[in-house]
Amino acid sequence: MSKTSASLSNYHITNSHTEIVDAMIRSTRANQTILWQTVNGQRTVYPVTGLSLDASRKMLTFTFSPSTSVISAAAPIYVKLAFRETVFKVSPTQTLAGQVVVTMPEEIHWRDLRVNKRLSFRRGERHVITRPYFAHLRSDQLPSLKVSLRDISERGVGVYISHQNVDFFKVGKFIELTALGEAGLPRPLLGHVMWVKRTETKSERDEGLEWLVGVKMLDMIPAPELNTLSAN
């Protein structure tokens, strides 16, 4: 594997609006963002002194030293954020001395700093089967819930759920993971609900995906099952 390929293999790609907004918000708190642009074969790097986010309009504003050269509106710019070395390419919407405004990207690349690799999926692309866990009830007395998968690793699962199932996924409750996609697991795996939040976009809610849930797996998901889920 070449040095470039090895470097790129450490980057995770996401088109999740929630994750993209989160990366922008986290990066506004640190002064480590840079952007660069190549015009007529000459690359210029601009250290960013300020980053502001207008989430409702999906716009980003970068500020830098007014003494630097004005960014060209005719060429794309590349941005590297503070959070997880997130990188993306955009076209300038408005350029002024010491400032450039861009539309929020639809896809970003960031360095995966987790020990356990996390797989991400588009809405509706994969699903898992879960059921609430109650020690005093048999498994056949509990409902099985097919939920849309957002991301998964050996130690955690992110799922979309409908409003009618939100009572089963309240913070602090336990769930069992019984299948990944169409493939059952050798045994149910226990997980602990860590957070629940409302999804941000109307399209998600229109599709019955009103809530996003984060589950910490107390029983690790076996790597072979994860690899099978990713390959199918």
Side-chain angles (χ1 to χ4, degrees), residues 78-155:
Y78 296 84
V79 180
K80 181 178 179 182
L81 300 178
F83 177 66
R84 288 193 187 172
E85 300 183 9
T86 297
V87 294
F88 57 90
K89 173 186 175 182
V90 286
S91 296
T93 300
Q94 182 181 14
T95 59
L96 301 169
Q99 188 178 85
V100 62
V101 180
V102 303
T103 302
M104 191 180 303
E106 296 184 355
E107 178 181 282
I108 60 175
H109 300 230
W110 61 28
R111 285 180 62 84
D112 193 343
L113 304 178
R114 299 180 178 94
V115 175
N116 302 97
K117 184 178 180 180
R118 182 174 293 269
L119 305 171
S120 296
F121 302 98
R122 299 175 186 271
R123 295 198 309 271
E125 185 178 10
R126 297 285 192 279
H127 68 270
V128 295
I129 306 296
T130 69
R131 65 185 177 212
Y133 175 83
F134 296 100
H136 62 284
L137 294 177
R138 301 191 312 270
S139 60
D140 60 355
Q141 296 175 305
L142 299 170
S144 289
L145 307 173
K146 181 178 179 179
V147 293
S148 180
L149 185 63
R150 190 186 87 159
D151 52 26
I152 188 170
S153 73
E154 292 178 351
R155 296 183 181 273

